[in-house]
Amino acid sequence: MEMSDEDVALAVLREAESKEGILLAEVRLEERDKRHMAVKEGHISSAISSHDRGMNVRVVMRSGTGFASCNSISKVDGSALLRKAHRQAKGGRRRTPVSLSPEPAVKTTWEVHQKRPLADVSTEEKLRYIQGLDRAVMKTKVKVQGRFYELKDYEIESFFANSEGSRISSFLPRVVLEAMNLVSSKGESAQSIRDWGASGGWEKVTDWALDDVLPQEMKMLKVQLDKGKSVRPGTYDLVCGPEVAGIAAHESCGHPMEADRILGREMSQAGKSFVSPDMIGDRVGSEYATVIDDPTLPGSYGYYAYDEEGVKARPRFLYKEGLINEFLHNRETASKLGVQSNGSSRSEFYLREPIVRMANTFVAPGDFEDDEIFGDVKEGVLMHSFTEWNIDDKRYNQKYVSREAYFIEDGEIAGPAKNCVLEITTPGFWGAIDAVSKKLDFVSAECGKGDPMQAMSVFTGGPMIRLRKVALR
Amino acid sequence: MTSLKETASDLVHLARDEGAKDVVVEAFDRSIQLVRFSNSEVDSTLSWSEKHAHVFAAVGKRTLVTDIRDLGAAAEGVKALVRAVKNAPENKEYGGIASGRFKYKPGRPDPAIVSLKDPAKHVRDAIGSAHRAGADNVGGTLYVRHEVTGIASSGGALASDESASMELSVRAFSQPEASGHSVSVTPRLVALRAKETGARAGELSVMAKNPVQGEQGKFDIIVEPLFLGSIMHFSTRMMSAVIVDIGMSMYARRIGKKVASAGVTIADDPLMRSSSRRAFDHEGAPTRRNIVVKDGVLRTYLHNTSTAKKYRTKTTGNTGPFVPTLFTVPSQPVAFHPVVEPGDWDPEEMISETEHGLYFNNTWYTRFQNYATGEFSTIPRDTILRIEGGEVVGAVKNIRISDNMMSFWKSVDALSKDSQEVFWWDEASPPATLPTVRARQMNVTRSA
């Protein structure tokens, strides 16, 4: 990004100083190179590229918040956005005046290093890579329909400045591969819709080893179809693999701990929360239930060093040893609840307002070995991964249906369990945990929230966790 | 000032001069205002504007797409695209673009929406009405949209379109677990029913008071248009030929077969007056009303030119955006304005003729165990009413419908005579015109 763009941002902030009643003015400039390609049944289906640049201006006043954005960067545009955002903030007529947590001004630069820059890998090489995955899947001889693979990668160069003196430049490359497959066998089918994402260069893609992982997935689904037996409805011990632990951490811990939900700002669309502001310290799970949201995990899909309000990112212990411990905050929610922001403000891109979001949410590891987790399970199920899932808008009633599951008999993994269903409340899930393994694993995902909907890159994850006596069917 | 249509046409000619064979350029100029409200007051006002162009170029079966975000540098962008496409790998499924001498029916935006200065007034009207109806906490969104589009192609497309619309979504709470949701979606300012929408959400929230834990089992379910909008979101997606191709559709190999009860007719009607009216698809083919399901039988998938060629039929004028949106995959044909044809029932009649059932205002988080078979679940939210012996006997909470989407459609036995345009978040989307319907014997589950 050229210096002249930064001058634009600073000129807009100088102009904001002349406006009365502004608590905070922010300007974000963003430039993004993006590539997106798709391969369907081995054939190239689409190749798209774009270069995007734009800016936004956010104005916070006691009377309200205004946010204006456009896909160009110039002093004229910046001034127009400022006027619009100021008018919007002024016209908010808030009965409960807006306030912001005091945060230090930051002047810094951060970036994610790429060993092999995404931009240096040609379209042809990327397409060959995806077609190679398809061939690897075909070699399994498993009947797989669809075989639809999308690879998206982009670099975001950003400059953030606010009226309090923060000046933050950043560079963030990200890559994600999405795979949709439908395995058929003996008149039945099973779907696999999975993502692999990271912050970094092309080396992340090779680390995923998908030419091995995807064929294994297809073979596994065929075994589930051919040999899987339904779970007889009843009460069992359940071992959740990292993918299932991760989705539960995201859905029934991360989301209900977003302070904007708790305070009602998302009440009409994404919903509210079963958690209320006075529940810090309340028990929601067993002593083994610790869930962390950490944007600073190197290479993670949800990585960032400073949030969209210029607050330094840090790990947040949401549930700690079964107790509600810390909400996810931006500056406004933090101020309302009398704490500091913990750097949870994110936006999908420059046209969208920053709101409270998760980053990388996972169950904290424990001290059990994986095989110890099964050790004293007499009759149970290992739900290794899931396909269907959902949760209500207060984040209390959730459902997970297995993609890969196995019966456990007398401490040993027995045959595959097909379409095992866990439908459970949030305290029911977190309260039933009595063992957590040492080894962490992560899955990437796109989290949806906001008006309009903003897809946000995140990790979910955890170790293996054991739940005692839960209802399965 | 050069119109977007002229800009698109100039870029098509440039791409052709540079050596591209097939070219589509669609240029957009859109501006959107959003008033968000929560806790019964405006929490923020947002606005954004974008001018950009999607450019598709093909040389033989080599195809590439770019999104030119700086129209001032569009010529350089097009030249670079054409240089790149000559060396791009072949897209074997590419079947060309729509071509012909096209006639279009462009829309006329309501100038009252285009020039609207104070959208927050309508929000305050809605909040006030919801409170008067018995709510004590109200949230929602009001979108004001204005979009001008110009399209040109080497296949003969050359057109402009313009639209303006407003979408008011109001969710009202009378108790922490008693809420109602109502929307008003319209291309005409005079048809925006802000007070009525707020009042309806408030009334529903009062009906939802003191909910008790719902029970598992089989119930006849009556679902309002907002709920049906979420079902349509997934059903119409699965009617897209590309989604069928990739194995993620319960409609695969079902053309000519029964996929719904005989009373169900589903169309995509981009030309009816609605908030998603459009004159052309993203290839530049004129849009038209397509009947996808007629009297319960699947007649066609939604096609672009390439998928139509593969399926040995003609495009239905449903080419999706060349640059996919959050919920589309590349090259996916899309529905623009789904319609379920109304029936001859009143919702009150449906209730009085239901022995053991549930009435649903809204739903969210619809997810599939298997798109190919239709196994799914969805979580009803807002007002849920228990019906016994033809009467509402109370409000219910904490339940889930866990069933099969094809079974849902096949068990529809009553459709209301009145329809409503609905559009809510990304759940009930795209905008659709839908009745209230009743489906028999759906499976309801709950947390243990």
Side-chain angles (χ1 to χ4, degrees):
Chain A
M1 196 170 289
E2 294 170 14
M3 184 57 80
S4 60
D5 287 347
E6 296 187 9
D7 289 343
V8 166
L10 301 181
V12 172
L13 288 176
R14 277 195 300 277
E15 199 177 327
E17 287 170 12
S18 65
K19 309 263 183 205
E20 276 185 27
I22 291 184
L23 293 178
L24 178 75
E26 296 171 337
V27 180
R28 175 174 293 279
L29 313 177
E30 193 177 290
E31 197 155 348
R32 183 181 296 227
D33 281 304
K34 195 171 175 182
R35 297 156 293 268
H36 181 174
M37 48 207 73
V39 168
K40 177 156 79 81
E41 294 181 328
H43 302 305
I44 292 148
S45 159
S46 175
I48 304 163
S49 63
S50 65
H51 173 79
D52 191 12
R53 45 189 260 124
M55 66 187 298
N56 67 54
V57 176
R58 191 168 78 124
V59 170
V60 182
M61 301 174 70
R62 288 173 64 80
S63 54
T65 301
F67 175 92
S69 56
C70 69
N71 67 327
S72 60
I73 297 175
S74 73
K75 175 68 176 62
V76 172
D77 289 324
S79 294
L81 295 178
L82 173 65
R83 284 193 298 276
K84 209 182 272 186
H86 181 245
R87 195 173 59 240
Q88 290 165 346
K90 207 172 169 181
R93 299 197 221 162
R94 285 267 282 261
R95 289 189 311 273
T96 48
V98 185
S99 59
L100 299 168
S101 64
E103 304 293 344
V106 174
K107 290 189 177 173
T108 192
T109 296
W110 64 270
E111 70 174 289
V112 169
H113 176 68
Q114 305 179 83
K115 281 186 191 160
R116 190 172 177 208
L118 297 167
D120 290 355
V121 183
S122 69
T123 301
E124 292 71 25
E125 183 176 344
K126 287 171 183 164
L127 286 167
R128 273 199 306 277
Y129 167 78
I130 311 173
Q131 288 178 304
L133 298 182
D134 186 73
R135 280 194 298 278
V137 166
M138 289 298 285
K139 273 187 195 162
T140 61
K141 306 292 182 195
V142 175
K143 187 178 173 191
V144 188
Q145 194 194 337
R147 307 192 328 268
F148 189 75
Y149 308 108
E150 288 181 78
L151 180 74
K152 303 172 195 175
D153 65 276
Y154 50 91
E155 300 99 7
I156 312 163
E157 203 174 349
S158 167
F159 177 70
F160 168 83
N162 70 15
S163 54
E164 296 170 340
S166 283
R167 308 282 183 264
I168 302 174
S169 299
S170 64
F171 176 75
L172 177 58
R174 281 211 186 101
V175 59
V176 60
L177 187 130
E178 298 169 7
M180 285 194 255
N181 289 290
L182 182 74
V183 170
S184 305
S185 184
K186 299 178 182 172
E188 288 192 287
S189 62
Q191 70 185 23
S192 168
I193 302 173
R194 297 185 64 184
D195 282 9
W196 289 265
S199 299
W202 188 251
E203 67 279 1
K204 297 292 179 187
V205 177
T206 49
D207 287 351
W208 296 332
L210 295 185
D211 50 352
D212 181 45
V213 171
L214 276 170
Q216 292 303 329
E217 171 94 354
M218 302 310 123
K219 289 178 191 168
M220 175 278 292
L221 286 175
K222 181 167 166 44
V223 170
Q224 291 280 317
L225 285 171
D226 291 349
K227 298 184 178 168
K229 290 183 179 156
S230 299
V231 176
R232 185 168 36 84
T235 301
Y236 300 86
D237 291 345
L238 172 71
V239 177
C240 296
E243 187 179 309
V244 180
I247 190 70
H250 180 94
E251 300 289 6
S252 66
C253 174
H255 275 307
M257 295 293 279
E258 293 163 341
D260 55 346
R261 272 176 192 277
I262 291 166
L263 292 167
R265 191 182 191 262
E266 293 290 319
M267 62 185 285
S268 82
Q269 324 283 49
K272 298 209 280 191
S273 173
F274 75 90
V275 177
S276 57
D278 58 356
M279 284 172 70
I280 294 284
D282 284 8
R283 182 158 293 283
V284 72
S286 74
E287 62 186 290
Y288 296 93
T290 293
V291 178
I292 302 166
D293 185 73
D294 185 1
T296 67
L297 289 179
S300 62
Y301 195 41
Y303 178 85
Y304 59 91
Y306 287 82
D307 79 353
E308 302 265 335
E309 293 183 313
V311 177
K312 190 172 173 58
R314 65 164 173 83
R316 287 78 62 129
F317 282 67
L318 306 178
Y319 295 165
K320 194 170 183 184
E321 296 173 358
L323 304 180
I324 290 176
N325 183 66
E326 178 181 13
F327 303 147
L328 292 165
H329 280 294
N330 62 16
R331 294 183 65 182
E332 184 177 353
T333 63
S335 174
K336 273 192 180 158
L337 298 182
V339 296
Q340 294 292 116
S341 169
N342 48 23
S344 306
S345 182
R346 302 179 74 189
S347 78
E348 183 184 339
F349 71 128
Y350 66 87
L351 284 177
R352 302 284 177 260
E353 67 163 343
I355 56 174
V356 173
R357 302 303 296 255
M358 280 173 268
N360 304 301
T361 315
F362 57 96
V363 178
D367 52 10
F368 283 75
E369 299 296 341
D370 280 0
D371 54 358
E372 278 184 286
I373 293 268
F374 307 113
D376 63 349
V377 174
K378 278 207 173 316
E379 188 185 20
V381 172
L382 163 63
M383 191 186 287
H384 186 72
S385 60
F386 69 95
T387 173
E388 175 193 331
W389 88 104
N390 49 27
I391 187 164
D392 65 18
D393 70 305
K394 58 183 184 287
R395 303 282 161 179
Y396 200 76
N397 294 283
Q398 61 220 279
K399 179 185 181 189
Y400 308 108
V401 181
S402 67
R403 188 170 80 249
E404 180 180 10
Y406 303 91
F407 292 101
I408 305 171
E409 290 171 9
D410 295 325
E412 299 286 333
I413 297 289
K418 189 155 57 177
N419 300 331
C420 175
V421 178
L422 172 68
E423 201 167 346
I424 193 167
T425 65
T426 294
F429 184 96
W430 297 104
I433 301 174
D434 82 334
V436 177
S437 78
K438 290 177 177 171
K439 196 179 150 201
L440 266 177
D441 203 1
F442 295 97
V443 172
S444 67
E446 304 288 344
C447 170
K449 185 183 170 187
D451 308 303
M453 177 74 85
Q454 298 189 48
M456 194 59 66
S457 50
V458 298
F459 260 179
T460 67
M464 283 201 177
I465 59 175
R466 185 174 65 206
L467 282 65
R468 292 290 195 189
K469 294 185 178 167
V470 294
L472 301 175
R473 62 177 191 269
Chain B
M1 192 190 292
T2 311
S3 73
L4 290 179
K5 181 171 78 172
E6 289 164 341
T7 300
S9 178
D10 291 347
L11 294 175
V12 168
H13 285 118
L14 175 62
R16 293 272 289 175
D17 291 346
E18 294 292 312
K21 181 177 174 291
D22 298 336
V23 186
V24 182
V25 178
E26 187 173 20
F28 310 88
D29 183 351
R30 62 172 71 97
S31 55
I32 298 172
Q33 288 184 77
L34 166 61
V35 183
R36 284 184 100 266
F37 52 107
S38 56
N39 298 321
S40 299
E41 62 179 346
V42 171
D43 59 49
S44 58
T45 307
L46 320 168
S47 58
W48 59 99
S49 56
E50 286 181 279
K51 285 184 190 171
H52 64 120
H54 292 172
V55 182
F56 168 87
V59 174
K61 280 190 175 289
R62 300 173 196 280
T63 66
L64 284 179
V65 172
T66 189
D67 183 6
I68 294 179
R69 306 286 299 178
D70 177 3
L71 291 182
E76 291 75 17
V78 166
K79 285 178 187 172
L81 180 75
V82 176
R83 276 197 303 277
V85 76
K86 288 172 184 170
N87 298 311
E90 288 197 341
N91 171 355
K92 291 202 166 54
E93 293 199 335
Y94 176 59
I97 57 170
S99 61
R101 305 179 88 175
F102 300 129
K103 285 189 176 168
Y104 301 98
K105 295 174 184 167
R108 279 180 300 185
D110 180 354
I113 293 180
V114 176
S115 61
L116 185 65
K117 290 281 185 278
D118 184 19
K121 170 194 176 302
H122 302 284
V123 166
R124 294 187 180 102
D125 284 349
I127 293 171
S129 294
H131 276 272
R132 283 189 292 280
D136 68 2
N137 196 1
V138 186
T141 53
L142 174 64
Y143 280 88
V144 184
R145 300 179 196 266
H146 178 216
E147 178 169 294
V148 183
T149 315
I151 197 161
S153 81
S154 54
L158 184 62
S160 298
D161 202 3
E162 188 169 356
S163 64
S165 62
M166 296 179 75
E167 304 133 32
L168 173 65
S169 165
V170 183
R171 192 178 193 207
F173 285 77
S174 62
Q175 294 172 336
E177 292 198 289
S179 60
H181 202 142
S182 184
V183 298
S184 178
V185 182
T186 177
R188 294 182 306 139
L189 179 59
V190 293
L192 184 76
R193 306 272 182 244
K195 288 179 182 169
E196 293 85 343
T197 305
R200 174 70 179 152
E203 287 159 10
L204 283 163
S205 76
V206 172
M207 287 195 263
K209 273 188 172 180
N210 306 316
V212 298
Q213 172 65 54
E215 293 168 15
Q216 301 194 104
K218 295 277 186 185
F219 291 84
D220 294 343
I221 65 169
I222 300 169
V223 305
E224 289 195 357
L226 207 50
F227 185 115
L228 192 61
S230 180
I231 301 294
M232 287 298 286
H233 170 94
F234 290 96
S235 296
T236 56
R237 184 174 191 271
M238 288 192 279
M239 290 167 182
S240 171
V242 161
I243 301 301
V244 171
D245 272 359
I246 65 175
M248 298 292 150
S249 171
M250 64 184 185
Y251 295 116
R253 296 177 297 281
R254 298 269 184 160
I255 296 282
K257 295 193 174 149
K258 189 175 164 62
V259 296
S261 66
V264 175
T265 291
I266 299 173
D268 180 46
D269 193 349
L271 292 175
M272 70 184 284
R273 184 149 78 176
S274 76
S275 62
S276 57
R277 189 193 189 283
R278 55 184 303 124
F280 43 81
D281 74 0
H282 296 278
E283 270 177 12
T287 51
R288 64 173 202 239
R289 176 183 168 86
N290 288 298
I291 296 177
V292 185
V293 174
K294 173 73 173 167
D295 301 331
V297 175
L298 183 67
R299 293 193 0 172
T300 183
Y301 299 132
L302 302 173
H303 285 293
N304 57 30
T305 299
S306 289
T307 63
K309 193 169 180 183
K310 182 175 176 180
Y311 282 80
R312 297 182 183 172
T313 184
K314 290 183 177 169
T315 178
T316 55
N318 287 99
T319 303
F322 281 108
V323 177
T325 60
L326 193 55
F327 292 102
T328 62
V329 299
S331 315
Q332 180 190 326
V334 296
F336 295 116
H337 191 86
V339 174
V340 172
E341 292 298 320
D344 55 5
W345 290 68
D346 285 319
E348 294 74 22
E349 262 185 296
M350 290 184 201
I351 293 172
S352 66
E353 296 198 15
T354 296
E355 192 56 36
H356 177 61
L358 294 162
Y359 183 95
F360 294 117
N361 172 208
N362 194 12
T363 194
W364 91 322
Y365 232 130
T366 303
R367 291 291 181 276
F368 283 76
Q369 186 184 122
N370 191 335
Y371 284 101
T373 60
E375 300 298 320
F376 83 112
S377 66
T378 188
I379 305 186
R381 57 188 256 174
D382 304 310
T383 312
I384 309 173
L385 303 174
R386 176 81 179 262
I387 302 165
E388 291 298 337
E391 290 189 358
V392 171
V393 294
V396 168
K397 64 178 179 180
N398 295 342
I399 55 172
R400 175 182 276 107
I401 295 173
S402 298
D403 209 297
N404 181 286
M405 198 165 279
M406 188 77 81
S407 300
F408 169 84
W409 284 113
K410 285 183 175 175
S411 65
V412 168
D413 75 336
L415 299 97
S416 69
K417 57 182 131 187
D418 293 326
S419 291
Q420 185 193 358
E421 182 174 2
V422 292
F423 182 34
W424 169 61
W425 210 28
D426 288 291
E427 294 290 335
S429 74
T433 299
L434 305 171
T436 296
V437 305
R438 181 176 62 188
R440 295 286 195 184
Q441 294 296 292
M442 298 299 289
N443 193 46
V444 170
T445 60
R446 51 171 279 189
S447 298

